[in-house]
Amino acid sequence: MTDSESARMARILSGLSAVAQELLLETDWASHRHAYGSGEDIPVSLCSLVDEDAEVRSEALAALDMGVLHQGSLYTVTAPAALFVAAILDHPMGLAEYEGHFPWDDGPPRSLRAALLGWLGQVAESAAYGEDPARDRANWEWQPWHEDSRGERDPDELAALQACRDIRPALYDAVEPFLSSSDPHVCETALGAAMPLLSAPALGDRVPCAAALLRARLGSMTGRRERAAVARALSLWGMDTSDLLADSDPAVRVCAALGPVRVDRPRALAVLLDALRDPRTTDGWFPEPLCGVDGWFRFTVLRSALDLAASFEEVAPVATAMVAAGHRSIVDNERGPILFRAFPAGYNPTHSLTSAQRALLRAFVDTDEATGSISGNWLWFRAAGLPENREGIAALL
C-alpha cells in the first residue's frame, strides 16, 4: 500500500461506523483469496467505495465485481467483504450517484447505495445456488448436465460457500431497512437482495414479516415495475398471491404466478401460458430486467410454466407453438427446456410416443434447418435420451 493510499484510507476510516472499522481493521485479509490472488489488496478497494471521487468509487465496486465475486464465483474473501459492504449501506456517500465502470453498465442512473445493494444481491444469489435443487431447476439458466458437473469441490470453495451462507442473517438485517426506502431504485435493489437472502432455511421465519411490509406498501404503488417486483417476491417466497393473479396489469399477474404456487395452480398456469402466447410483448414489459432476472423475460416465464405444469400435456399446445413458430431463439433457454419437460424421465424406446410428444418432435424436425432447433440444442436431446440429429428424430415419427 502506498503512502497516499494509507493516508486516504486513514481519512475514510475516520468517517466509518465502529462496525465497519472493526471489520476492516481486524480481518486478516492476507489469509483470504479472491479471483486473482491474495485478499491483502481488498481493504483499499473497500475504503474506496465511499471515496469522495466518483471515479474512484466506481473503480472500487468494479474491483469487487471482478475479483471478490468474479462471474458469480465465491472466494474466501467474499464473506468479510460482503459484511463490510453491508456495514456501509447507510453511509452518507451512499446517496451519491453511482457511475458504471464497465461499458455494458448502462442501466438507469442510481445511487451508490442501490449499486451496493445490487452487489449484495448477487452474493446472496451465488450463496443460495445448489441449496435447493428444485429451486435451481426452475431457474431459466439451469441445464440438466450441470447436475453431473459439480463433482468434488475444492476445500477453499466449500469454505467460501459456507461462510457466505453463514452471514446471510447479518446481511438481511442490513438490507431490510431499505425495503421501505423512498428511492425506487434503492427499494428495488433491496428487494432484489432480500429475495435470495430469505430463501435461506435459517431465515424462513423472517419471510412473513417481510411479506407483510411489502403488502402494506403495495396499495400505494402505481408503477408496473415496482408492483411486479413485489408480486414476484411474494410468489417466490411461497405467499398466497391468488388476488394478484386477477390484477389489471398482465405483468403483475405473471409475476404473481412465478413461484411455487400453493393455491389456484390452474389459474396461475393459465396466466403464464397467456404470456407465452405473445412472447414478444412479454419480453417488452421490462426493458431493464427486474433484479435477479437476466435474459429475456419469457425464459423465466417459460421455466415457471414448465415447472408448474402437472404434465407436459398441460403446456403442450403453447410450448409446441413456440417451437413451431420458427423464430431463431437463444440456444438452450427456450426449446431445450420444452423438450426436457416433454421427456422428464427420458425417452423410452419401448414406449410409444404420446400425441403431444410426437407433435413436439415434428415441430423440431420442421424447424431444424431454418433455426437449428435440433442441431443447436443437441445437449438437451442427449439429456432427454433422444437422437441428437434431425435424421434420428425423424425416424421416430
Side-chain angles (χ1 to χ4, degrees):
M1 187 182 302
T2 66
D3 291 342
S4 62
E5 287 176 333
S6 297
R8 183 164 59 87
M9 281 189 64
R11 185 180 72 253
I12 293 173
L13 269 170
S14 65
L16 296 179
S17 67
V19 172
Q21 289 186 34
E22 182 179 352
L23 283 166
L24 199 73
L25 297 175
E26 297 191 9
T27 299
D28 183 6
W29 297 100
S31 69
H32 293 292
R33 306 286 294 179
H34 54 65
Y36 303 106
S38 170
E40 60 188 346
D41 60 337
I42 293 302
V44 173
S45 294
L46 294 175
C47 274
S48 298
L49 289 170
V50 291
D51 193 277
E52 297 90 346
D53 189 314
E55 185 174 349
V56 171
R57 295 195 300 270
S58 177
E59 290 177 351
L61 189 51
L64 296 191
D65 280 334
M66 292 186 294
V68 179
L69 190 66
H70 180 67
Q71 296 182 352
S73 296
L74 302 174
Y75 303 89
T76 56
V77 79
T78 308
L83 286 172
F84 179 87
V85 170
I88 63 170
L89 285 176
D90 59 355
H91 191 282
M93 193 58 70
L95 298 173
E97 185 170 316
Y98 168 71
E99 298 179 7
H101 180 75
F102 300 109
W104 56 85
D105 191 4
D106 56 355
R110 60 193 186 279
S111 65
L112 173 66
R113 181 169 294 145
L116 294 176
L117 283 163
W119 186 80
L120 287 176
Q122 294 171 18
V123 172
E125 289 277 5
S126 293
Y129 184 74
E131 197 169 36
D132 182 347
R135 185 177 64 230
D136 291 342
R137 284 194 293 273
N139 185 284
W140 71 273
E141 293 181 293
W142 179 85
Q143 297 168 328
W145 47 93
H146 286 172
E147 300 291 332
D148 301 325
S149 62
R150 291 180 185 175
E152 292 294 328
R153 287 185 170 180
D154 180 87
D156 283 347
E157 182 183 355
L158 288 173
L161 175 62
Q162 190 58 52
C164 287
R165 289 178 175 176
D166 289 343
I167 65 170
R168 287 181 293 189
L171 296 186
Y172 182 72
D173 286 342
V175 166
E176 186 185 48
F178 298 102
L179 292 174
S180 302
S181 173
S182 58
D183 182 329
H185 294 303
V186 169
C187 185
E188 180 181 347
T189 50
L191 180 55
M195 288 173 63
L197 286 171
L198 290 182
S199 72
L203 288 174
D205 60 337
R206 311 270 193 106
V207 171
C209 181
L213 186 156
L214 295 179
R215 277 286 189 180
R217 297 197 63 196
L218 189 59
S220 62
M221 293 179 174
T222 57
R224 159 177 282 179
R225 185 178 183 86
E226 58 183 349
R227 296 185 70 246
V230 168
R232 176 172 172 263
L234 294 173
S235 180
L236 293 180
W237 287 336
M239 298 290 101
D240 181 1
T241 56
S242 55
D243 60 318
L244 296 176
L245 295 176
D247 194 88
S248 60
D249 190 326
V252 175
R253 294 199 298 269
V254 166
C255 285
L258 290 177
V261 179
R262 295 179 177 176
V263 295
D264 221 347
R265 186 194 69 84
R267 189 154 62 113
L269 181 58
V271 165
L272 297 175
L273 294 178
D274 279 346
L276 293 172
R277 289 186 177 94
D278 187 7
R280 292 185 182 276
T281 296
T282 299
D283 284 338
W285 286 339
F286 307 110
E288 177 73 17
L290 295 175
C291 289
V293 180
D294 297 317
W296 292 110
F297 189 54
R298 72 178 186 272
F299 295 157
T300 292
V301 177
L302 174 63
R303 287 295 181 105
S304 294
L306 297 176
D307 185 59
L308 189 58
S311 67
F312 178 66
E313 280 67 23
E314 281 194 304
V315 296
V318 171
T320 302
M322 293 177 72
V323 174
H327 300 305
R328 186 174 290 275
S329 64
I330 299 174
V331 172
D332 290 344
N333 296 325
E334 191 169 67
R335 294 185 176 95
I338 290 172
L339 177 78
F340 200 70
R341 184 64 184 86
F343 295 89
Y347 169 64
N348 186 339
T350 65
H351 294 168
S352 298
L353 294 173
T354 66
S355 58
Q357 290 172 333
R358 188 175 298 277
L360 177 66
L361 293 182
R362 171 54 63 189
F364 272 104
V365 169
D366 291 346
T367 57
D368 184 53
E369 187 173 353
T371 67
S373 59
I374 297 176
S375 59
N377 290 283
W378 63 272
L379 281 172
W380 285 98
F381 279 85
R382 173 179 292 180
L386 287 159
E388 300 165 24
N389 54 66
R390 186 169 185 265
E391 295 73 21
I393 296 298
L396 298 179
L397 300 177

